[in-house]
Amino acid sequence: MSETALSAALIRRFGETPKVPEGLAKIPALNALATRGSCRSFTGQTVEPDVLETLSALALCAPSKSDLQQRDILIVTDPKLLAALKSLLDAQAWIAEAPAMVVFLANNRRQRQVQMMHDQPFPNDHLDAFFNASVDAGIALAFFMAAAEAAGLGCCPISTIRNHLPQVKDLLALPDHVFPVAGMAVGYPSAAPGVSARLPLSKTVHRDRFSDITEADIKSYDTRRLDGQDGPVWSEAKAKMYAAPQRTDFAAFLRGIGFTLE
């Protein structure tokens, strides 16, 4: 892998690139990360259960906060259950074609079980309990995606699963202190996923001190991202998206399954 290939991929993504060391430029896995994209178009090929279980094992090799391992992966294989889960997410029509789905769970229940097992108190029943489990699940999701894409699969995380928390809880028989952080559609891509432009590295990678992005920086990114595409610019689309209330019942749901959040 030449340095030019990795640098070109980063320029395409960010509009700029760091000076890529020659040793890094020769690592194929890094170029794969630079050129990856979320997959929303799948062939009809089935993803075998053994594949999903192996990818889940690799995902759970990820680090976890204090080795507490507060994350689980739920593979959805039952056809009726998979159809029911997809029906909740039908606002994204492409999900119907995904041959497999997995759900990444934050699991703070197990630590509470361990405390009881050893007759120890649980004094950390506050916001950090929710946060630690959520981050652990997010890290596992990233590891799963990297492993799956290295194996030739395509993936797309699905945060809208959190729009339907009570229904998902019932469908997946989730106990208290366990909740979905995200779903993941998994399958064999029918076409190479597109590469989404990202905000410039000079505004998102900070050295020693934080430096804020300016309106001019955002407008410049809007222009670069819109190149060759139709529709509203990125900042306008995201501003309109977040102008509408979303998941206003999330905290109430979490309290309902036992989290304190103080």
Side-chain angles (χ1 to χ4, degrees):
M1 190 69 61
S2 70
E3 182 176 359
T4 303
L6 182 53
S7 295
L10 294 174
I11 289 171
R12 181 184 177 195
R13 179 81 75 176
F14 300 104
E16 58 193 36
T17 180
K19 184 178 179 181
V20 178
E22 184 177 352
L24 297 186
K26 295 178 180 179
I27 301 174
L30 301 188
N31 194 69
L33 288 174
T35 57
R36 71 155 307 278
S38 291
C39 179
R40 298 179 178 86
S41 178
F42 304 96
T43 70
Q45 183 177 351
T46 299
V47 183
E48 296 297 330
D50 288 350
V51 172
L52 294 173
E53 290 183 9
T54 300
L55 295 174
S56 296
L58 294 168
L60 296 177
C61 293
S64 71
K65 192 271 179 197
S66 298
D67 195 26
L68 294 176
Q69 304 180 57
Q70 297 184 92
R71 70 288 181 269
D72 290 357
I73 300 171
L74 197 156
I75 302 170
V76 182
T77 55
D78 178 84
K80 290 184 179 180
L81 185 60
L82 183 60
L85 187 58
K86 286 181 177 181
S87 71
L88 290 176
L89 309 174
D90 60 3
Q92 296 164 290
W94 60 267
I95 290 174
E97 304 304 321
M101 287 189 63
V102 295
V103 181
F104 294 85
L105 303 173
N107 182 350
N108 183 240
R109 179 182 181 84
R110 187 158 46 238
Q111 189 58 39
R112 296 167 190 263
Q113 293 171 313
V114 169
Q115 299 302 115
M116 292 180 63
M117 174 182 171
H118 291 282
D119 195 26
Q120 293 294 314
F122 193 83
N124 296 300
D125 195 4
H126 47 70
L127 181 61
D128 205 40
F130 157 79
F131 185 77
N132 288 334
S134 301
V135 171
D136 269 14
I139 296 171
L141 182 153
F143 267 56
F144 184 101
M145 190 158 48
E149 291 172 355
L153 290 158
C155 300
C156 186
I158 306 168
S159 66
T160 52
I161 198 169
R162 298 197 305 277
N163 292 354
H164 310 280
L165 288 168
Q167 299 95 319
V168 173
K169 180 182 188 297
D170 290 343
L171 277 175
L172 304 182
L174 302 181
D176 284 354
H177 300 108
V178 177
F179 65 93
V181 170
M184 177 85 79
V186 186
Y188 292 94
S190 61
V195 175
S196 296
R198 297 293 194 225
L199 289 161
L201 295 170
S202 57
K203 302 302 174 182
T204 53
V205 178
H206 309 272
R207 186 186 292 271
D208 296 327
R209 297 289 187 276
F210 183 87
S211 58
D212 214 350
I213 197 167
T214 67
E215 185 173 324
D217 295 326
I218 295 172
K219 287 181 177 179
S220 177
Y221 170 67
D222 281 339
T223 300
R224 180 167 61 86
R225 177 145 178 160
L226 193 59
D227 184 30
Q229 301 181 35
D230 296 323
V233 296
W234 175 83
S235 63
E236 180 185 358
K238 299 311 166 188
K240 288 181 177 178
M241 176 189 294
Y242 261 74
Q246 295 186 22
R247 301 177 192 134
T248 55
D249 58 349
F250 189 30
F253 173 83
L254 291 171
R255 291 189 177 97
I257 63 171
F259 285 96
T260 303
L261 304 183
E262 299 300 334

